[in-house]
Amino acid sequence: MIALTRMRVTGFVRSGRALPPLIAVLAVLSLLYGGGASSASSAYGYSAVMLFPILAWLVKLVLDTEPDVQRRLARLTVGPVREATAGLLAAALLAGGVCLLAMVAPWPFRGIRGPLAGSTEPPVLTGVLLGVLAHLLALLGALALGALAARVVTRRVLPGVVVLVTGSVLAIVLGLRGSVVPWLVPPVMSTARALGAESAPDAGTLAGLVVHTLLWCAVAFAIYGRLRRGRS
């Protein structure tokens, strides 16, 4: 499975398909941090929100790179579970690289500042740790959404694009404050609001965000696995 994962990562990078998402990531990060400094937790929270659709797009591109015939041969060679896991692992590694870039990006731009005097903003180190959590949660949600939009599930390009765009838009719209069905989408907006508050979120809030993300992803991956078995 490790060799298959490595092959998919290498094939994606060498095919040039990594370039459009990379350009989009750099453009988003430049816009985000080009306007001045903000607290670490707030900056990273909104970074995770803005990168969510790009991460989902990246996951879909990774899963769509391998030709169908080659995917079926890999499925016969290593088994359906390992073959599917290798694809998701390859996508997660590449998306994780994007998240790492997003964590490093504000420092050359001086986009991170310390807490203001007299404020209750969390210190920089706490903000960075919260930012790591925010990007991890966004990565998990994007991994599940990108998988549901993959060609092996939707079969054609247009339905996959519709799933990707609709899922990304709903993640923002249904995640707004006052939404009656926030549980239908991963909590990227809720995470950004929690990190953008005047003080650091408490342990209960963070635990709720983690549980929400894990439950949503578990359902999404279960649907992905079921559809993949029926359409591979």
Side-chain angles (χ1 to χ4, degrees), residues 2 15 22 37 39 41 43 50 53 55 57 71 75 96 124 127 140 151 167 203 208:
I2 295 177
S15 68
L22 178 60
S39 66
S41 60
M50 295 178 71
L55 291 173
W57 176 34
R71 174 174 49 79
R75 185 183 180 90
V124 173
L140 287 174
R151 188 182 68 248

Side-chain angles (χ1 to χ4, degrees), residues 1-10 59 62-63 66 71 74-75 78-94 143 224 228:
M1 190 174 68
I2 295 177
L4 183 58
T5 301
R6 186 187 303 114
M7 182 187 70
R8 288 180 171 175
V9 170
T10 303
V59 171
V62 174
L63 296 178
E66 188 174 42
R71 174 174 49 79
R75 185 183 180 90
V78 302
V81 174
R82 289 187 176 185
E83 184 272 324
T85 303
L88 292 174
L89 183 56
L93 289 173
L94 290 163
L143 189 64
Y224 170 70
R228 205 176 193 278

Side-chain angles (χ1 to χ4, degrees), residues 8 10 19 22 30 51 76 84-85 99 107 135 164 166 184 213 217:
R8 288 180 171 175
T10 303
L19 189 58
L22 178 60
S30 298
L51 289 179
L76 291 173
T85 303
C99 292
W107 299 99
H135 283 87
L164 183 67
T166 302
L184 285 178
T213 301
C217 289

Side-chain angles (χ1 to χ4, degrees), residues 14-80:
R14 289 185 177 179
S15 68
R17 296 190 181 189
L19 189 58
L22 178 60
I23 293 174
V25 168
L26 294 176
V28 165
L29 293 177
S30 298
L31 290 173
L32 182 62
Y33 296 117
S38 61
S39 66
S41 60
S42 178
Y44 286 132
Y46 287 107
S47 167
V49 170
M50 295 178 71
L51 289 179
F52 175 77
I54 301 177
L55 291 173
W57 176 34
L58 174 64
V59 171
K60 172 176 168 52
L61 289 177
V62 174
L63 296 178
D64 289 352
T65 296
E66 188 174 42
D68 291 337
V69 174
Q70 183 173 320
R71 174 174 49 79
R72 293 189 182 102
L73 289 174
R75 185 183 180 90
L76 291 173
T77 302
V78 302

Side-chain angles (χ1 to χ4, degrees), residues 39-41 113-115 120-127 130 195 197-201:
S39 66
S41 60
R113 59 163 174 77
T120 57
E121 292 176 343
V124 173
L125 179 57
T126 301
L130 291 172
L195 269 62
E198 293 183 359
S199 57

